[in-house]
Every structure is written in structure tokens, then in C-alpha cells.
Amino acid sequence: MRKLMQSLTGSRRKRKTDHEKRGKTICTIAVMLVLYVLIAVGLVYMLYRGGNYPAGTNTLQYIYRAKMLLKGIGEGNGFPLYDPYWFNGEQLLRYVEPLPIYLIAACQALVGGDANTGYLLFVGLLYFAGAVGWIFIGKKIGRLKTGFLVGTLWFFMPNNMHTLFLLGNLAEACAMIFLPVLIGFTYEWFFTEVKKSRTLVGMIVSQFLIVACSVRYSIFVAITVLLFGILVHFMYKKKPGILPAVAAMVLGILLLGVWLYPSLQGDGSDTYNVTVMKNYFQSALQSLNPVYRLQGNDQHYYFGLAAFLLTVFGVLAGSKKSRVGYVAGIILFLGTTSSAYIVLSNMPGKRYFWMTEYISIALCMILLSFVYWKSLKKIFYLACVAVLVIDAYPSIKVNQGQAYYDATDQLDVFEKTTLLDQARQITKQRMYFLDGDIYGASAAYVATVADDGQGIVAQSGGNGWQYAATSENIMDVNEAVGARHYTYLFDRLLLLGNDTVLIYTDATKYLAKDLEDVIAAAKSCGYDLVASKGKYYLFHQDTPETFGVVSRYDAISIGTSGKLLTYSYADMIQGKSNNLNEYSFADLKDYKLVYLSGFTYDDQTSAENLVMKLAKAGVKVVVDASSIPTDTYTGIQEFLGVDCQSVKFENGYPILYYNDQEVLCELFPKDETEWKTVCMNGLTNVKGYLYENGVQMAFAGTAKNENITFIGISLAYHYYRTLDEDGSKKIIDDLIGSYVTKEPDHKIVPLTVDVQNKEVTITSQYDNVNTTLADTDNMLASDDYDINGHQVYVNKGTTTIILYYPYFTQGMLLSAGALVAAILLLIGVRKHGKKQLERV
């Protein structure tokens, strides 16, 4: 009996002790959460006192969208379909991940709609929410204090601050809240013998939240999880359950299909190419050198010398569970180096390998490995913490700011300094600020948000223009101004509906030198210089409050490469299609000149007949021989009896002979010293030739009809790259210059445009009017309007365009399918786990 009583008493004491431990743990966590709140408040106060907010290249883009979203919610519209103020009209949430926008809007709502204060609240939320996950990771593995310490540091890791305060990528900064939680579940999944479905649920939900912040980030997270599983398999000779983990990552992404599928359709972005990709790799020295930040050179991504040393130490001496994370961290670091670019740029899916953007994923792996390193001796533990803190401190100092005045005042100073205040006052319909993207989202935000009550001013530009329906129009304007074609600049900005143009002369290296030419080009297109201040020049022309443009062009360019010549000749319009068979004689007969470059056809005979008919009717047709389609069967470039002969030049052309005169052209650009192009055989009348290895070869002349001219050796591209006025341009001018005028014929006409959430109503008194509105693909097609140059054209009368959410059904089916697949996966894992327990 006494033994029984002692047993019962001991059991009660044990329960009491367990209860006391749980209570103590809860109190400890509560204290930690309070400390996180206090640190978040201190961080927000530091930013407020410094006045250096909202900081970051892209920050104001997110704040603007959140402000417009909040406005829509106030009007009973929780998912606005259309915003008329940026990019001539855009789909506000179509191509920008939704979760950060909704979180920022919620923060703005909590502070009464004030955007700046809402941003501060959002930063505080980022710190607190990002830190909390580390506490629960630490608690789960019995390292609560270490989890708290790492959570304190997580926000202040140099790369995380770089992402938030310099790049202003609030989407990726938001994803960093959920990243540690997902990696924590990944560790648990791979190192637990009995697989639990709840672990997989955590992975799926975390990945879902990450993809709602950043699609590209979530895809690389999935790749990282795969890498982690492979390392566990080979380092520890075990089956970690890679396939279910990767399936969880994929399903977490697909669950957001209702937004994801539409966002991947009709994407106007052309930035995912090898050239841009190269900017997201750098030398290991740049990634690890802390001196750059101390010198104020904070443009580079900083991996962190302390994090790297900790990683090397962990690989050499880490415990079993921690070492694999350190190895993964090393591999991800090596993936950011310039050498890795050579390999990754040739891999499938290279658009997602922007490696320096994923440094935080590597840092998360490293820090989580540090939390798991239970056997680390105290002296080394303290040394590692000290080094991490010291390495992070310079980044914290950089982002403090020293202005000590309100953020609103900063924007006011920016507005007055750049003449934006005057531009807003005189703009009637829309304005364009040519700043070379130097100011990020600042200019468009200041002009549009209008907290001073001065009125909202619509833009043709803005931050994130790559996703706009008019992205190609904006890119063409930027290309033209970079090539010093200023008439094209103002002419095409008028087509985009801009009555006001503001130019910053440091936007390109030539603008300041060419200022007289810029002013003359503006004048020729109807714009007057109304104000100037330092490097800022403001142009404006008087127009109706809302207007469209009726245009007549003397020339048309057909083909993918034809637009290069339109920069030089603003009177040449780019055709709707690159396929010559899609044009009729009636479509082209009223032009003085038709330029074919990069064109295609379905039926060569029909295409040749059309060209012959145009030439006989007096239309000048110029064919860029370098881009004549290659015959599928013969492999020969041939059109109208003229066939092309390949030729290669190095550094520059030989002496060209045109109209029996010698022409010396500029050398090729330094980055393109070797040119593979063509000369021609079969010309009726040779006007230009050269000698290659002693053989005379024709590069210009006519065929079949004096109105059909062929130009070879990529002469138009040569002028585009070199601006060779006395060489290639002089030949081109002689061949086609007399057929085009300097400026096209435009007539500005009044319009009435009424934009609602689900429809746009346009009333015109004229036919074939360019409304200057972008043709977004959520506009319901109608016979009442036409599309040209990514813009909407209407005829006389009232046109109603219905707005809708495109690809909604497909997106919902994708989300539903992913949900069903996730449930089946979890059921399978649960059954398998039970079998594992039974075997144990």
C-alpha cells in the first residue's frame, strides 16, 4: 500500500512539475513576444525620426497599389479590375502578388488611410511576424532561447534590409515572414523517421503564403527543398521522403491558381532574359566584402562575411542535423557567383535563376542550422552570435536616415525640385516623366496619389511598366531617346495621350548635350517648353481635358525588326501584324512607303504579288534583305527573285560604293565586333556594292520594279547602333528619306471617357480615333472598337467596353484540382505514417 501511495504521489508531483514547466515556457514566450513588440516599435520610431521612409526603389509602387486597393474597398470593390491612372490603364492586381498589397492596405486602413504611417506599421509588422516563427521553431526542438535570438537578428540580416530598404521589394520582404517557418517544417520532415501529415500541411500552407507574396521566390524555395532532400539522401544514406516534400511545394503554389494562372497569361514583361539575368550574379568578393557598405556602396547584394564564416565552420564541425543546412547554404552561395551564371544561363527555366535575390533563402538555411546545432560549445556559440551582430550593424546604420524631417516633406521637396508640382498643375489628361527609371516609383506616386488635394494626375509611365499592356510602347520610347531620336519621343508620347512631358537630362548620356535638338523636336510635335529648373525641362501643349488622336502616316513598317527604322522616321508607323499575308492591297495602298524587315508570310507567291501590285500603284516598297524569311526546303533566303548571300564582317564594313561614290561608315559597336549578314544576287539595278576578298557584292538596289528596293548588310541596324549620320544614315536617307516627312499628321480631338469598375464608356465625334487608352486583355472584345499599337481605337458614337477578370474559370479549376491533390497526398502520408508506427 505504501508503494502504491508513493507511486500516486510521485505521479501527481510529475504532473505538477510538467504543468509548472509549461507555465514557465508560456511566460517565457510571452516575454519574448513583448520584447519583439518593443523592438518593432523602436525600429518604427528609428525610421520615423530619420525620415528616410518610405525607402526603396520599388516601395512606392506597392504603397500606391495598396492605396488604390483601399479606395476600391471603400467603394465596395475588394478586387479592383482596372486602374486608369498608371500606364494608360492597367489591371491593378493582375501581375503583382496580392498578399503584400492587401497587408499594406490593411496597415493604411488601421492608421486612417495615411500611406506613410501605414508603411511604418507594415515595417513593424514585418519585423514582428518574421521573428515570431523563429520562437516556435526553437521551442519545437528545445532551443527556445536560440530561436528567440535568431528571430531578433532575422530582420536585421544585411540582405533582408537591402531587399526592404534599398530595393523596396516589399513582396520578397513579406515572403521572408513565412520562409523560416517553411524551412523549419522542411527540417522536421526530412529528419523525422515517422512522417506526419501535419508537417506536410505546414509546408503546403507556408508555400501557399510565400507564392502569394512572390511567385519567383516560391519556385526557388521549391528548388531549395529539393536540394535539401537530395543532400540528406546522399549525406546520411536515408530515404527522407523527397517526392512528398516536392509535391507539397508544387501544390502550395498551385493552390493559388485562381490568381496565378491569369497572372501568367498575357504577361507584358520582357525582362526575363539572359541580359537582365546577368545582373543577378556577382563575384564572391562583392558578396562577402563588408567594406563596400562602409564606403556607402550599397548597390551590391551582401551575402554576409559572418554568415559565410559560420557556414564554413558548420560544414567542418557541425552536428548531424545542422551540417546539411550549412552545405546547402554553401551551394546556394556558390550559385550567386559570376561563374555560376555561365552554367545557369543555359539551363531550362533560367528566368527563375536570379540568384542574388535568393540570398535570404541561403541565410535562412544557415541560421536554422545554427538553431539545430545543440552540441556547439558555449564559447563558440557566443562568438558566432557576436560576429553575426557585428556584421549586421553597418547595414542597420545605413538605413537609419539622417534627415530628421517628415517623409511627406521629403516627397514635397522632391516634387518641387523636379518640377513635378508645376507638371501636375498644367496636366489635363496625362503626363510622362522621362527619368530613366532613376527615381523608381517616386515620380508616378507623387503625381498620382495627390495627398495635397491638388488632384490626381494620370501617367503613361510608372514603376513596374514591364507588366503594362503598353510595355512595348514605353520600351520603344526609351529605346528611341537612348538612340537620340527625339521627334519619335514626343510623337509617340502624344499617341499615349500625354499633353505634358517632363524630362530629366541625366536620364541618358546624350540628353544634356542634345538639349537644343530636344526642344526643337518638341516644338515640331506641338509641345512648348514652359519651365526649366536645373536638369529638369517641362514641355506642354494645349489640349482638351480628355482627348484622342486621329493620325495619318506616310510610311508603315511590317516585321519584328522594322521598328528600328521607325525611331529614325517618326512618320513611319509599326504595322499590326508581322505577317505580310494578313494585309490587303487596300490596307497599304495609301502609304507612300512600305518597309519590310523581319516580316513573315504563309504564302510567298501571294506576298510577292501584293508587293508587285503596290509597286505598280506607285507605293515604294523597301525590303531589308537581312531578314527575308528562309525557305524551309531549300534553306535559301529569297524574295522576288533576289536571293541572299551570307557575308561576315569583323570590326566594320569595308569601303562601300553607293551611286559610284565611296562611303566610309563608323566601326561596329565594341560589344558586336563580328557581324553575320547578307549581300544579294538577282538585283535589276545595283545602287550599292562592296568588295569582299576581291569579289564585288551588291548591298543595295532595285528588283522587278524601280519602286521595289532591297537593302542588305543590316544597314538600318548599323545606323541604330552607331548613329552614323555621314555613312549608313546617308544611304538610307537617299533610298527612303524622300518618301517620309519628319512628323506624321495628327489631329487632336475631344473625347468623353467614363471609367467604372466593370466598364469603360467612350464617346467620340470622329472615326478611327486613338483613345490613348491601353488595350488591357480584361476588356471584352467587341466589333465597336479596334486595337493598334496596344491601344484602343473607336469610331464615331458611343462605345462601351466591358471589364472582367480573365481566365477566372481556368484559375479556379487549377486551385480546386490542387486542393483535391493536396488532400489525397495528406491522406496517403497519414496512412503511410500509421504503417511506420505499427512497424516500430
Side-chain angles (χ1 to χ4, degrees):
M1 179 63 71
R2 186 167 56 187
K3 290 182 179 179
L4 178 60
M5 293 300 293
Q6 286 176 347
S7 176
L8 291 172
T9 305
S11 179
R12 284 196 297 268
R13 286 176 180 171
K14 185 177 184 301
R15 287 197 298 270
K16 184 177 180 181
T17 302
D18 291 342
H19 181 73
E20 288 174 350
K21 285 182 178 179
R22 284 196 297 270
K24 186 177 179 180
T25 301
I26 292 172
C27 289
T28 302
I29 292 175
V31 171
M32 291 177 174
L33 293 176
V34 170
L35 288 174
Y36 280 159
V37 170
L38 293 176
I39 295 172
V41 170
L43 170 67
V44 168
Y45 180 72
M46 181 176 68
L47 288 172
Y48 173 73
R49 284 286 296 164
N52 189 25
Y53 71 95
T57 304
N58 300 295
T59 298
L60 291 173
Q61 175 197 165
Y62 291 96
I63 293 177
Y64 167 76
R65 294 182 189 280
K67 200 170 182 70
M68 293 296 105
L69 171 61
L70 190 61
K71 179 184 176 184
I73 292 173
E75 296 170 352
N77 180 14
F79 192 92
L81 295 175
Y82 187 79
D83 174 34
Y85 298 112
W86 278 21
F87 314 120
N88 297 66
E90 65 157 342
Q91 299 172 72
L92 190 71
L93 300 174
R94 173 76 175 276
Y95 301 112
V96 179
E97 288 81 354
L99 184 55
I101 308 300
Y102 278 92
L103 286 177
I104 298 168
C107 290
Q108 291 178 0
L110 289 173
V111 294
D114 182 74
N116 293 331
T117 309
Y119 169 77
L120 292 176
L121 180 60
F122 177 72
V123 172
L125 174 66
L126 285 182
Y127 175 83
F128 179 79
V132 166
W134 290 98
I135 288 182
F136 292 99
I137 292 171
K139 178 183 179 298
K140 182 174 289 189
I141 62 176
R143 299 270 285 173
L144 182 58
K145 292 180 181 178
T146 303
F148 167 75
L149 185 61
V150 172
T152 305
L153 284 173
W154 175 239
F155 179 91
F156 297 109
M157 294 301 288
N159 187 72
N160 294 355
M161 300 200 78
H162 178 270
T163 299
L164 177 60
F165 292 117
L166 186 67
L167 301 180
N169 192 334
L170 304 194
E172 289 184 6
C174 192
M176 291 172 195
I177 295 175
F178 312 107
L179 179 61
V181 179
L182 187 145
I183 301 299
F185 279 121
T186 302
Y187 258 85
E188 182 180 340
W189 174 263
F190 285 139
F191 283 106
T192 302
E193 292 298 329
V194 179
K195 307 301 182 185
K196 298 178 181 179
S197 59
R198 66 185 182 188
T199 305
L200 217 55
V201 169
M203 294 174 69
I204 292 172
V205 172
S206 300
Q207 178 72 320
F208 173 80
L209 293 170
I210 289 175
V211 74
C213 295
S214 173
V215 174
R216 200 163 65 245
Y217 215 72
S218 69
I219 291 174
F220 201 80
V221 166
I223 295 171
T224 303
V225 170
L226 173 62
L227 170 66
F228 191 86
I230 293 172
L231 288 174
V232 172
H233 174 69
F234 284 103
M235 290 176 66
Y236 305 118
K237 308 301 180 183
K238 61 185 295 185
K239 295 180 180 179
I242 296 175
L243 289 179
V246 173
M249 294 295 93
V250 174
L251 292 173
I253 294 172
L254 298 182
L255 279 171
L256 195 63
V258 68
W259 173 84
L260 181 64
Y261 187 86
S263 76
L264 296 176
Q265 309 300 318
D267 183 350
S269 172
D270 191 37
T271 62
Y272 300 111
N273 53 57
V274 176
T275 304
V276 175
M277 179 184 175
K278 193 173 184 178
N279 297 329
Y280 292 87
F281 294 80
Q282 60 189 29
S283 71
L285 178 62
Q286 289 176 331
S287 295
L288 300 178
N289 192 342
V291 176
Y292 283 124
R293 293 171 301 155
L294 300 175
Q295 295 174 340
N297 186 357
D298 54 1
Q299 297 299 317
H300 296 293
Y301 289 82
Y302 181 58
F303 186 90
L305 180 60
F308 181 77
L309 293 176
L310 173 60
T311 306
V312 174
F313 181 43
V315 170
L316 297 175
S319 63
K320 177 180 178 180
K321 284 190 177 181
S322 66
R323 187 177 287 118
V324 66
Y326 289 126
V327 173
I330 284 284
I331 293 173
L332 292 177
F333 166 71
L334 294 175
T336 67
T337 60
S338 303
S339 300
Y341 166 75
I342 299 172
V343 177
L344 295 177
S345 62
N346 294 305
M347 288 184 64
K350 58 179 173 284
R351 63 179 286 176
Y352 298 109
F353 288 96
W354 293 17
M355 294 302 296
T356 49
E357 283 200 344
Y358 308 132
I359 285 176
S360 290
I361 299 175
L363 294 176
C364 185
M365 300 284 291
I366 294 165
L367 292 176
L368 199 56
S369 294
F370 182 66
V371 176
Y372 265 92
W373 195 352
K374 296 181 180 180
S375 61
L376 181 62
K377 292 184 178 180
K378 189 172 183 179
I379 186 169
F380 293 115
Y381 175 88
L382 293 175
C384 290
V385 171
V387 171
L388 287 170
V389 171
I390 292 170
D391 198 34
Y393 185 70
S395 295
I396 299 172
K397 294 285 288 184
V398 164
N399 292 297
Q400 271 186 316
Q402 303 294 332
Y404 292 101
Y405 56 83
D406 185 76
T408 303
D409 295 335
Q410 278 195 108
L411 292 176
D412 287 342
V413 170
F414 169 75
E415 187 178 9
K416 291 180 173 61
T417 303
T418 59
L419 292 181
L420 268 170
D421 56 338
Q422 294 188 43
R424 288 176 58 191
Q425 290 174 6
I426 63 176
T427 299
K428 292 183 177 179
Q429 175 166 280
R430 199 172 288 119
M431 66 165 286
Y432 188 84
F433 185 16
L434 180 66
D435 66 345
D437 287 336
I438 293 171
Y439 293 120
S442 299
Y445 176 82
V446 167
T448 312
V449 170
D451 284 326
D452 58 5
Q454 191 169 301
I456 294 177
V457 175
Q459 320 280 310
S460 279
N463 193 244
W465 59 266
Q466 295 88 348
Y467 297 99
T470 52
S471 60
E472 188 175 356
N473 307 63
I474 297 170
M475 185 172 62
D476 287 342
V477 166
N478 292 334
E479 288 280 343
V481 74
R484 307 170 81 173
H485 300 306
Y486 305 117
T487 301
Y488 183 97
L489 164 71
F490 287 100
D491 181 81
R492 292 325 193 249
L493 288 181
L494 178 62
L495 292 186
L496 287 170
N498 297 282
D499 55 280
T500 302
V501 179
L502 178 58
I503 290 180
Y504 177 45
T505 56
D506 279 354
T508 74
K509 64 180 180 180
Y510 296 115
L511 274 169
K513 299 177 185 177
D514 298 341
L515 196 55
E516 290 186 6
D517 293 336
V518 172
I519 295 172
K523 189 71 175 178
S524 69
C525 295
Y527 292 91
D528 294 316
L529 178 64
V530 295
S532 62
K533 185 177 183 180
K535 297 179 180 181
Y536 302 92
Y537 291 80
L538 181 62
F539 299 89
H540 177 73
Q541 68 171 294
D542 192 31
T543 64
E545 292 292 330
T546 307
F547 67 89
V549 183
V550 179
S551 305
R552 185 184 65 80
Y553 291 85
D554 288 324
I556 184 172
S557 169
I558 298 173
T560 54
S561 52
K563 69 170 58 178
L564 296 183
L565 211 57
T566 67
Y567 300 155
S568 307
Y569 302 99
D571 194 24
M572 184 182 293
I573 191 68
Q574 183 72 13
K576 291 182 184 181
S577 172
N578 300 322
N579 191 330
L580 194 53
N581 291 139
E582 293 185 12
Y583 295 87
S584 67
F585 176 74
D587 293 331
L588 303 176
K589 66 181 179 63
D590 292 329
Y591 291 103
K592 294 180 181 178
L593 181 141
V594 175
Y595 177 58
L596 306 178
S597 181
F599 67 100
T600 63
Y601 49 70
D602 300 319
D603 184 326
Q604 181 174 352
T605 302
S606 296
E608 291 177 334
N609 289 340
L610 174 62
V611 170
M612 286 297 298
K613 188 174 182 180
L614 289 169
K616 290 176 181 178
V619 178
K620 180 76 171 180
V621 180
V622 177
V623 182
D624 176 10
S626 307
S627 63
I628 291 175
T630 302
D631 188 275
T632 307
Y633 300 103
T634 65
I636 298 174
Q637 288 179 271
E638 186 271 332
F639 193 71
L640 286 170
V642 176
D643 62 87
C644 300
Q645 182 178 352
S646 297
V647 62
K648 184 169 74 173
F649 302 116
E650 291 187 4
N651 299 317
Y653 294 132
I655 296 174
L656 303 183
Y657 297 89
Y658 182 75
N659 285 341
D660 296 326
Q661 294 183 350
E662 290 186 0
V663 179
L664 297 177
C665 295
E666 296 283 347
L667 295 177
F668 300 154
K670 293 181 179 179
D671 60 339
E672 282 187 287
T673 56
E674 185 177 288
W675 283 31
K676 294 180 180 179
T677 182
V678 299
C679 287
M680 292 162 289
N681 299 313
L683 294 174
T684 306
N685 178 22
V686 175
K687 301 187 70 175
Y689 59 91
L690 56 87
Y691 289 95
E692 182 69 8
N693 296 325
V695 178
Q696 180 176 310
M697 305 178 75
F699 71 83
T702 60
K704 301 287 187 184
N705 187 300
E706 283 301 305
N707 282 330
I708 302 176
T709 297
F710 286 78
I711 304 177
I713 63 173
S714 305
L715 206 61
Y717 182 71
H718 179 271
Y719 173 63
Y720 169 72
R721 288 303 316 272
T722 63
L723 300 176
D724 181 14
E725 295 286 341
D726 296 325
S728 50
K729 179 62 161 45
K730 186 172 289 186
I731 296 174
I732 295 170
D733 275 342
D734 184 73
L735 290 169
I736 71 173
S738 60
Y739 293 88
V740 293
T741 57
K742 196 170 185 181
E743 305 89 24
D745 181 17
H746 293 309
K747 181 179 181 180
I748 297 173
V749 299
L751 285 177
T752 301
V753 179
D754 181 30
V755 179
Q756 301 297 327
N757 179 49
K758 293 189 176 181
E759 68 178 31
V760 177
T761 304
I762 305 167
T763 304
S764 170
Q765 299 175 6
Y766 300 84
D767 285 332
N768 196 30
V769 178
N770 173 9
T771 65
T772 77
L773 296 177
D775 166 44
T776 58
D777 73 347
N778 68 332
M779 292 180 170
L780 196 60
S782 167
D783 293 335
D784 296 327
Y785 73 94
D786 195 11
I787 300 165
N788 194 2
H790 309 291
Q791 293 180 276
V792 174
Y793 282 67
V794 299
N795 289 319
K796 185 184 296 184
T798 298
T799 303
T800 301
I801 300 173
I802 305 300
L803 301 172
Y804 70 107
Y805 186 59
Y807 307 104
F808 177 78
T809 302
Q810 297 94 320
M812 278 297 295
L813 290 174
L814 185 60
S815 290
L819 180 60
V820 171
I823 292 171
L824 294 175
L825 175 65
L826 295 172
I827 291 172
V829 169
R830 187 177 182 85
K831 288 181 178 179
H832 183 69
K834 286 182 178 180
K835 291 180 181 179
Q836 284 182 305
L837 283 172
E838 289 171 1
R839 285 198 297 268
V840 172

